[in-house]
Amino acid sequence: MKNATTTFLNLTQNLRQTDIRTVANYYAAQLQLCCPQSPTSYSVAPKIHAHMIASGFRPRGHILNRLIDVYCKSSDLVYARKLFDRIPEPDIVARTTLIAAYSASGNPKLAVEIFSETPLCIRDSVCYNAMITGYSHNKDGHAAIELFRDMRRKNFQPDDFTFTSVLGALALIADHEEHCQQLHCAVVKSGTGLITSVVNAIISVYVKCASSPLVSSSSLMGAARKLFDEMPVRDELSWTTIITGYVRNNDLDAARHVLDGMNEKLVVAWNAMISGYVHNGFVPEALGMFRKMHLLGIKQDEFTYTSVLSACANAGLFLHGKQIHAYILRTEARLAHDFLLSVNNALITLYWKCGKVDEARKIFNETPVRDLVSWNAILSAYINAGQIDEARSFFSEMPERNLLTWTVMISGFTHSGFGEEGLKLFNQMKLEGFKPCDYAFAGAITSCAVLAALEHGRQLHAQLVQFGFDSSLSAGNALITMYARCGVVEAAHCVFLTMPYVDSVSWNAMIAALGQHGHGAQAIELFEDMLKEDILPDRITFLTVLSACSHAGLVKEGRRYFDSMYDVYGIRPGEDHYARLIDLLCRAGKFAEAKDVIQTMPFEPGTVIWEALLAGCRIHGNMDLGIKAAERLFEQMPQHDGTYVLLSNMYAHVGRWDDMAKVRKLMRDRRVKKEPGCSWIEVENKVHVFLVDDAMHPEVQAVYNYLEQLRLEMRKLGYVPDTKFVLHDMESEHKEYVLSTHSEKLAVVFGLLKLPLGATVRVFKNLRICGDCHNAFKFMSKVVAREIVVRDGKRFHHFRDGECSCGNYW
């Protein structure tokens, strides 16, 4: 190219003495040197053009077309358009060149402008092909099809390039079998039905349309396979298209059968097969394909590695993934940036999903080029490891963010207990111009569930509908949990019933909701409905069912479901399932059966087992067994305040004040701090928190005054303060005063004062509700003729007309 340029500069000094035809041919020959597509060859064209201008030569016709073509290929469309606009009557070649260039650059509007201004008398099939291809490349399938119809109406003959382009456009929008068949017939009639590129395009249309819910995938895949089998010549795209088609339509056996019959070693086809196995959870098959590729000498690429690393990450196969990592380092000497980027992103995900966050961070730090996927991967690593501070730091450092970034961060805050920060981040995301997706809404709604922020949750529900995500599965599941945890189980059930599609998570959430609210029989009924729908229960399902049985005292049913876990469904009960069973038995006072269960467990009892036993002993006053359970807990969790509190309360209930004092002293000596009891209520979008004997709330005196009025009315109905729930040795009169200062009473009375008449009062408490408060709220609900809902650390209590939904079984 350098020699040609030098020769050109030397010879053109005598051009003015030569006739115009010779000059034109000479310039055309020099421009022909620019045909190899490279930056070096393109750089010569402006020099040739500059010499034309300096020498006074005015290019016309094919010379101008050559210049426009070179400028288009070198991405200098602005100058190409200037040349085009200077031509009085551009011919079809110049127009087609510019149409193709605008389409390829992602600017179909300008391409349409040139095409529309092209007179019909000079249009040809090539011009139509360029415009159809432009629509197809820019994902406007409908416009491409309509232009194809216009082409045929105006008697332009389509060729193989036309059909390849229009079939590509049809693949974008086809959702009926007739669409495929009509264009297939047109191909056959045109005589292009044996050209490989056209047949590949038809097969692609069939396999993409097969995924539409409006068609039978088997019949369309059958038509695609028939075309494939009858092809006189197949290329790499033929094999890849049919294999990918089977994979996308979840027929992995057929895809593997085609692959096994392929003689060519096409890495793209093998990658498609491995990817299909990975996405359908067939990890051993994916790894087997990877090994076979190596044995057959098929060169793996970045797509191969990312698929098998994803398989290892999803299945938790850390050692396999690490071996693949070592294999890459050993066999791939010079790695391109694109290769490094995609593989390193997959490696970061592998290491963090296998619990190796530090290794993931090391790979991230050593990655020479990072993209948004890299940042999101390491952010997910710290979020899933519960290292919120590190995640927050990475989030602030990110050079750019996308919707996934915000969603991961919102979800991370929510599931780590930072519901308020999750909601703030959701609002910040919207302020920065990001339209939330259904997963972002699910995270924000779950934050409301964590905070028990009912009104905020209702507002998000309305926004969800406004954005068109009301049919989202993830958002629907989050709404069920939110309404349930905010005390509105009826709304949760309504969401469940109106969801267009539900999965096992939906059923589990609804069963748990009914159980938490004391509707044990309905929870079991819903579980039976789930089985009738042929949805297999998982270990979470049985946890929710056992909890529902425990809260409702359904011992017989609970034992039956526990036994069915392994006998019927092959699910081995874990320690958490045994803890639910022991809780069920102890609440019913069946301590002998509970002890038998503990002795026959396939593992040593841990803290959750002894906690369930101790809680049951507290309910029924079983001191001997309770002391044994507490001693085990002191050994296993010496810093857990709940054990000391339960044991001291048991001593207080039976008047063993000296023993209670010893437990309290032991607690002080070990520097164990008791979690302070508190209750809170949301009024007018503000959360009001109350502590025992509260004197800090600005309206607490009004609360005490109204509480005294209510106590007088309640006494008339038979309410007598139960002073056994005062866990200190003091005078009876002072005990009554202590009971009246419990945080849940103050919060409920504040709600009665502030909420509109008839509105339900919803109070949330971090610890178990006091027995006297439970009794008082039954009388209070009758006095004020309102529903009072209290959520304690274990469940919900709905007080209506003097009764509680728990039936006093709690």
Side-chain angles (χ1 to χ4, degrees):
M1 178 61 67
K2 183 177 180 181
N3 294 334
T5 305
T6 304
T7 303
F8 163 72
L9 293 174
N10 292 333
L11 292 176
T12 53
Q13 295 175 1
N14 300 318
L15 281 178
R16 292 183 181 179
Q17 303 171 7
T18 315
D19 63 273
I20 296 298
R21 184 185 296 273
T22 303
V23 172
N25 290 337
Y26 184 81
Y27 278 125
Q30 295 305 313
L31 287 172
Q32 189 65 32
L33 298 173
C34 302
C35 287
Q37 296 183 17
S38 70
T40 304
S41 62
Y42 292 147
S43 66
V44 176
K47 296 176 182 177
I48 299 173
H49 191 195
H51 192 277
M52 290 181 193
I53 297 171
S55 66
F57 175 74
R58 294 184 179 181
R60 296 180 183 178
H62 67 288
I63 301 292
L64 280 171
N65 290 346
R66 286 272 178 87
L67 282 170
I68 291 171
D69 182 53
V70 172
Y71 281 122
C72 286
K73 287 177 178 176
S74 61
S75 300
D76 193 350
L77 290 178
V78 174
Y79 204 83
R81 182 60 184 266
K82 285 182 179 179
L83 280 178
F84 178 85
D85 290 339
R86 289 174 186 171
I87 304 174
E89 294 183 2
D91 63 13
I92 193 62
V93 175
R95 293 175 182 275
T96 303
T97 300
L98 211 53
I99 289 169
Y102 278 134
S103 298
S105 67
N107 199 335
K109 287 185 178 180
L110 290 177
V112 171
E113 177 186 304
I114 300 293
F115 181 83
S116 300
E117 293 173 356
T118 302
L120 186 63
C121 61
I122 68 168
R123 289 184 191 178
D124 58 12
S125 296
V126 179
C127 181
Y128 272 98
N129 291 350
M131 195 63 246
I132 292 170
T133 303
Y135 281 130
S136 181
H137 285 175
N138 288 281
K139 311 300 182 185
D140 193 347
H142 292 287
I145 298 296
E146 185 54 43
L147 186 60
F148 173 73
R149 289 174 177 156
D150 179 71
M151 175 184 181
R152 298 194 67 184
R153 282 194 298 266
K154 292 173 179 173
N155 298 318
F156 288 92
Q157 188 65 33
D159 54 19
D160 54 325
F161 296 105
T162 314
F163 283 112
T164 302
S165 295
V166 79
L167 285 164
L170 180 61
L172 299 172
I173 60 173
D175 56 5
H176 285 86
E177 192 170 351
E178 302 80 50
H179 298 160
C180 309
Q181 292 172 339
Q182 288 172 3
L183 205 47
H184 188 179
C185 290
V187 168
V188 174
K189 290 179 180 179
S190 71
T192 60
L194 297 178
I195 298 175
T196 302
S197 61
V198 177
V199 180
N200 285 343
I202 299 174
I203 293 173
S204 180
V205 169
Y206 276 125
V207 300
K208 288 182 179 178
C209 188
S211 60
S212 169
L214 303 176
V215 300
S216 168
S217 61
S218 58
S219 65
L220 284 179
M221 284 307 302
R225 181 60 182 273
K226 185 174 184 295
L227 272 173
F228 175 81
D229 291 338
E230 294 174 352
M231 288 181 74
V233 179
R234 302 187 187 111
D235 60 9
E236 182 175 340
L237 184 59
S238 313
W239 291 97
T240 306
T241 302
I242 193 68
I243 291 171
T244 305
Y246 279 125
V247 168
R248 286 181 177 174
N249 288 281
N250 298 317
D251 193 347
L252 298 182
D253 291 337
R256 183 61 183 270
H257 183 265
V258 174
L259 185 76
D260 290 341
M262 184 175 64
N263 295 323
E264 295 87 346
K265 296 180 179 180
L266 303 177
V267 65
V268 179
W270 282 75
N271 286 347
M273 193 70 242
I274 291 174
S275 177
Y277 280 136
V278 172
H279 287 296
N280 286 276
F282 297 116
V283 175
E285 289 80 357
L287 295 177
M289 289 285 294
F290 178 74
R291 294 189 192 97
K292 192 171 181 180
M293 281 184 78
H294 175 69
L295 293 173
L296 293 174
I298 302 174
K299 178 67 175 174
Q300 295 104 331
D301 59 15
E302 64 266 34
F303 301 105
T304 319
Y305 291 127
T306 52
S307 287
V308 294
L309 287 171
S310 296
C312 294
N314 295 336
L317 300 175
F318 174 64
L319 292 179
H320 283 77
K322 195 170 184 179
Q323 288 171 0
I324 293 169
H325 187 186
Y327 175 78
I328 295 170
L329 295 175
R330 188 174 66 252
T331 58
E332 302 290 344
R334 295 183 178 179
L335 304 177
H337 280 311
D338 289 345
F339 182 101
L340 271 175
L341 183 61
S342 60
V343 172
N344 280 347
N345 288 345
L347 285 169
I348 293 170
T349 303
L350 165 74
Y351 280 105
W352 77 253
K353 281 192 174 182
C354 293
K356 311 292 182 181
V357 179
D358 291 339
E359 286 87 341
R361 173 66 181 272
K362 184 180 179 183
I363 294 171
F364 176 83
N365 289 340
E366 294 175 352
T367 301
V369 179
R370 301 171 189 149
D371 62 0
L372 191 53
V373 176
S374 316
W375 285 92
N376 283 341
I378 196 65
L379 183 68
S380 299
Y382 283 110
I383 286 291
N384 283 270
Q387 299 181 29
I388 298 299
D389 290 337
E390 288 82 355
R392 189 187 284 112
S393 175
F394 264 99
F395 182 77
S396 63
E397 293 175 13
M398 291 181 70
E400 62 174 319
R401 299 166 184 159
N402 62 2
L403 188 56
L404 177 61
T405 313
W406 291 93
T407 304
V408 166
M409 202 65 196
I410 292 167
S411 178
F413 275 135
T414 299
H415 292 292
S416 298
F418 299 98
E420 187 172 351
E421 288 196 54
L423 285 177
K424 287 179 179 177
L425 204 63
F426 180 79
N427 292 329
Q428 182 185 343
M429 177 188 71
K430 292 196 294 182
L431 288 174
E432 293 193 15
F434 287 89
K435 179 183 176 182
C437 63
D438 55 336
Y439 293 105
F441 268 111
I445 291 167
T446 305
S447 292
C448 294
V450 171
L451 298 170
L454 176 60
E455 292 309 315
H456 204 135
R458 281 172 169 161
Q459 291 172 14
L460 286 174
H461 189 177
Q463 292 176 30
L464 185 79
V465 175
Q466 184 180 6
F467 276 83
F469 295 133
D470 47 319
S471 61
S472 164
L473 179 61
S474 59
N477 290 341
L479 283 170
I480 293 172
T481 302
M482 185 274 293
Y483 280 121
R485 293 187 65 175
C486 290
V488 196
V489 68
E490 300 84 3
H493 199 203
C494 181
V495 171
F496 177 79
L497 293 175
T498 55
M499 286 173 66
Y501 171 76
V502 292
D503 61 1
S504 59
V505 176
S506 317
W507 289 93
N508 291 347
M510 196 62 237
I511 293 169
L514 291 170
Q516 283 181 328
H517 287 265
H519 305 302
Q522 292 95 319
I524 289 175
E525 184 179 345
L526 190 65
F527 174 66
E528 295 294 341
D529 290 341
M530 174 182 173
L531 299 180
K532 291 175 185 176
E533 295 287 335
D534 294 327
I535 297 177
L536 289 176
D538 54 22
R539 62 183 318 277
I540 303 298
T541 312
F542 283 105
L543 284 175
T544 61
V545 171
L546 290 171
S547 293
C549 291
S550 178
H551 289 313
L554 303 172
V555 178
K556 181 179 176 182
E557 293 83 352
R559 292 228 58 158
R560 177 164 58 86
Y561 289 129
F562 182 87
D563 293 338
S564 72
M565 281 186 66
Y566 185 72
D567 296 342
V568 179
Y569 301 102
I571 302 173
R572 290 190 180 278
E575 189 176 23
D576 45 1
H577 296 99
Y578 277 99
R580 297 290 202 284
L581 177 61
I582 291 165
D583 184 65
L584 168 70
L585 295 171
C586 290
R587 282 179 184 273
K590 298 181 180 294
F591 293 104
E593 291 185 37
K595 289 170 65 177
D596 289 341
V597 170
I598 293 174
Q599 292 170 359
T600 57
M601 288 193 310
F603 40 74
E604 287 297 316
T607 56
V608 291
I609 302 297
W610 297 118
E611 283 180 327
L613 185 62
L614 179 58
C617 291
R618 181 196 57 77
I619 293 172
H620 294 281
N622 190 330
M623 289 299 305
D624 294 337
L625 191 57
I627 291 170
K628 291 179 181 178
E631 289 173 348
R632 292 297 184 93
L633 285 168
F634 286 148
E635 294 172 4
Q636 296 179 5
M637 288 196 309
Q639 295 301 119
H640 182 55
D641 66 320
T643 307
Y644 299 90
V645 173
L646 280 176
L647 184 59
S648 66
N649 290 354
M650 289 176 67
Y651 282 133
H653 279 310
V654 296
R656 293 171 60 173
W657 304 110
D658 291 341
D659 290 325
M660 186 200 81
K662 290 178 182 178
V663 174
R664 296 284 182 173
K665 183 178 183 302
L666 179 64
M667 192 174 181
R668 289 193 300 273
D669 292 343
R670 293 181 176 179
R671 296 182 179 180
V672 178
K673 292 186 177 181
K674 176 183 178 296
E675 180 185 1
C678 69
S679 302
W680 62 96
I681 182 172
E682 183 181 1
V683 176
E684 296 179 352
N685 292 323
K686 184 179 179 181
V687 176
H688 298 261
V689 181
F690 292 87
L691 301 174
V692 176
D693 197 18
D694 201 315
M696 299 298 294
H697 193 280
E699 298 184 68
V700 72
Q701 193 54 52
V703 171
Y704 283 127
N705 293 339
Y706 188 45
L707 176 59
E708 185 58 33
Q709 295 177 33
L710 289 173
R711 285 176 62 193
L712 294 175
E713 295 297 323
M714 289 156 58
R715 284 181 179 275
K716 293 177 183 178
L717 296 177
Y719 167 68
V720 177
D722 194 342
T723 56
K724 73 178 181 181
F725 290 101
V726 178
L727 306 175
H728 299 279
D729 190 11
M730 57 180 67
E731 294 297 327
S732 176
E733 184 176 329
H734 191 55
K735 286 184 177 182
E736 289 191 23
Y737 169 76
V738 170
L739 289 174
S740 70
T741 65
H742 282 192
S743 65
E744 56 264 54
K745 282 195 181 79
L746 301 180
V748 167
V749 173
F750 180 77
L752 293 173
L753 274 172
K754 292 295 182 180
L755 292 172
L757 287 176
T760 300
V761 177
R762 293 185 174 86
V763 167
F764 304 88
K765 181 177 171 63
N766 62 333
L767 303 176
R768 188 176 183 271
I769 189 174
C770 157
D772 176 70
C773 290
H774 187 272
N775 188 40
F777 292 149
K778 290 194 291 185
F779 284 95
M780 201 177 290
S781 68
K782 197 165 187 177
V783 168
V784 298
R786 292 167 77 168
E787 181 182 7
I788 299 170
V789 180
V790 179
R791 188 190 83 184
D792 66 11
K794 294 290 185 181
R795 61 175 299 162
F796 280 89
H797 299 268
H798 293 254
F799 301 94
R800 294 190 189 97
D801 196 28
E803 299 294 334
C804 179
S805 59
C806 72
N808 296 324
Y809 189 87
W810 57 285

